[in-house]
Amino acid sequence: MESPVGLRERKKAATRQAVHEATLRLTVEHGFDHVTVEAVADAAGISRRTFSNYFTNKEDALLYGEEQHIRALVQSVRDRPAEESAWTALRAAVAQFAEHMSPPEREWAVRTRLAMRHPSLLARQLANHAALERDLADAVALRTGPTDTPPRPLVMAAAFLASVRIAMRIWIEEDETRGPGAVMDEILDEMGQRFT
């Protein structure tokens, strides 16, 4: 018999994902400025109060998928073999992450375009990245290589996340003519020259 805690957590995760997907869908259909929390709650089949149990605002709901992807990426770095250098682990984790992700292009493109046009969304996205930067820096600090001075892991984590963000922006500006992985490799190759 399944434990109630496991079932409860899975239901919460499913609700959070449903709210995120409803927010993304409504934003694509109506534009970010015309989407209300009430409309998202209705589309997800929950109450306004339940929405508030999961997300503070529509920006958080829209960016939830990206935040989950970044957290998974941090975990992938932690799971890499201990003997890998920090930058090698970061590169390998992002390659593994891109390989196992279901086609990310549409959702990444939508979120990136929205963030470029809406200051409140961009601010929230940057706040998410800043919060996750510390986790990534902690994972990097455990690696071998030139990460033994206190600011080095934080600088590397910040540079890595900024590289990923810039790669996604370039990908969008190029009208998605190349795959996001190709753009990311190009940017990370250039940045890696500073860290290897």
Side-chain angles (χ1 to χ4, degrees):
M1 183 173 178
E2 187 169 4
S3 95
V5 173
L7 179 61
R8 186 176 325 128
E9 292 308 312
R10 279 206 321 271
K11 284 184 175 182
K12 284 182 179 180
T15 300
R16 193 170 277 115
Q17 184 64 30
V19 172
H20 164 66
E21 289 172 5
T23 308
L24 186 62
R25 188 181 71 253
L26 290 173
T27 299
V28 168
E29 291 171 4
H30 305 290
F32 185 70
D33 292 330
H34 301 290
V35 173
T36 64
V37 168
E38 289 75 14
V40 170
D42 287 346
I46 60 172
S47 69
R48 170 64 172 90
R49 182 175 176 184
T50 301
F51 177 97
S52 298
N53 291 337
Y54 290 93
F55 297 105
T56 304
N57 52 41
K58 65 183 183 179
E59 288 85 355
D60 287 346
L62 186 65
L63 293 174
Y64 171 74
E66 178 180 81
E67 183 179 333
Q68 291 306 105
H69 293 319
I70 293 172
R71 288 191 187 284
L73 182 63
V74 170
Q75 188 58 50
S76 292
V77 172
R78 287 189 178 120
D79 293 342
R80 297 295 307 163
E83 65 276 3
E84 284 183 345
S85 71
W87 194 256
T88 300
L90 287 166
R91 292 295 306 269
V94 81
Q96 177 185 5
F97 174 74
E99 191 177 289
H100 292 9
M101 217 165 109
S102 57
E105 287 84 359
R106 187 178 186 317
E107 191 170 329
W108 275 105
V110 168
R111 278 197 307 260
T112 302
R113 282 189 181 107
L114 288 168
M116 287 166 43
R117 289 193 315 258
H118 296 281
S120 67
L121 196 54
L122 180 59
R124 187 65 194 119
Q125 185 181 52
L126 293 174
N128 282 348
H129 287 196
L132 293 170
E133 203 171 83
R134 175 55 64 186
D135 289 341
L136 193 57
D138 290 345
V140 163
L142 300 173
R143 299 266 148 205
T144 59
T147 57
D148 52 357
T149 58
R152 185 77 175 191
L154 191 56
V155 169
M156 187 179 288
F160 179 77
L161 288 176
S163 296
V164 170
R165 184 177 50 79
I166 289 166
M168 296 312 294
R169 184 174 182 155
I170 290 170
W171 174 60
I172 294 300
E173 289 172 353
E174 290 180 350
D175 290 328
E176 305 165 46
T177 54
R178 297 185 282 168
V183 180
M184 203 172 300
D185 282 344
E186 179 185 312
I187 299 298
L188 291 174
D189 284 346
E190 187 172 330
M191 186 61 73
Q193 294 172 18
R194 277 61 167 167
F195 290 107
T196 52

